[in-house]
Amino acid sequence: MPGTAIIGLGNMGQGMARCILKAGIGLKGFDLSEGARTRFAGDGGTPSASVAEAAEGCDLLLVMVQTPAQAQEVLFGTGGAAAALDPGSTVILCSTVAPSDARALGTALEEGGHLMLDAPVSGGMKGAEAGTLTVMASGAPEAFARAEGVLAAVAKTVHRLGDAPGMGATYKVVHQLAAGVHLAAAAELLALGAKAGCDPQKLFEIVTGSAGQSWMLEDRGPRMMQADPACTSSVDIFVKDVGLVLQTGRENAVPLPLAAAAHQMFLGASGLGHGAEDDSKVVRAYAALTGKQVHES
């Protein structure tokens, strides 16, 4: 009987894989990190030595890599998954990519006899671990039907947004405008407060209990006040995602000044050496400009 596989066992993929396994769905998996493959095996998954080995004998493949280029390579590069999957398989693309990239990948898979469900997710590492992600999905009804069990295992809410790849990515990219701007705004207000003499913790308590509250401030604010927060999502993820927002704006001739300003702050934090660190460290770009740290040393 054909099986299920996942490519990408990072912060998000590992939690999603764990939820799929807990739902009783057998799962093969691959990640470039040996440590990630070992953790996956410890959770009951079957680690593979390559993308092709993971896809072989499967008719359902979940892809959770970071960039469109990585998704292209995983599916169609040398030893790629698309050629190794059973004929007529379904690929669930959960990566955040530009709508144009989602459409192109969907077309390429269709030409190879496969279906693609364009299914980016939101909810972060916590949602991935708890199986409470929000999925923004578009694709053929048959793709939704085949993916139903996996989606039920990883998500609290699945939005059906159309019958072809592209619209799932569109909704996710527009969502990332809000996420990126709110995250940068949270860093900006804490940086301003610290420079103006406010206690960052007290300021955090006041704003999260008042009209200026946002989910991003509530979630990331405490980590902005830590010297070395654990990484749940990196600065460079937002460099990429807000870059996709700006790309989508260009393609639709929509000016996005707030997103552009936020993107500059993520680029600044990455340039300071925080790219692979927790995205709350965007606040360090402000600290470099103000000369005042938000976190305690």
Side-chain angles (χ1 to χ4, degrees), residues 22 72 81 93 121-122 138 140 145 147 182 187 191 210 234 267 281 284:
K22 285 180 180 178
Q72 175 72 29
L93 180 65
V121 302
S122 181
S138 62
H182 286 177
S210 304
S234 72
L267 281 171
K281 284 197 173 181
R284 307 299 172 88

Side-chain angles (χ1 to χ4, degrees), residues 144-176:
F144 274 101
R146 293 180 187 178
E148 185 175 8
V150 166
L151 295 180
V154 303
K156 180 179 180 180
T157 305
V158 178
H159 295 282
R160 299 185 64 147
L161 302 169
D163 294 335
M167 283 313 299
T170 301
Y171 278 89
K172 176 60 189 292
V173 167
V174 174
H175 169 274
Q176 290 306 90

Side-chain angles (χ1 to χ4, degrees), residues 247-259:
Q247 175 185 335
T248 304
R250 288 193 300 271
E251 291 171 352
N252 289 277
V254 176
L256 302 172
L258 296 180

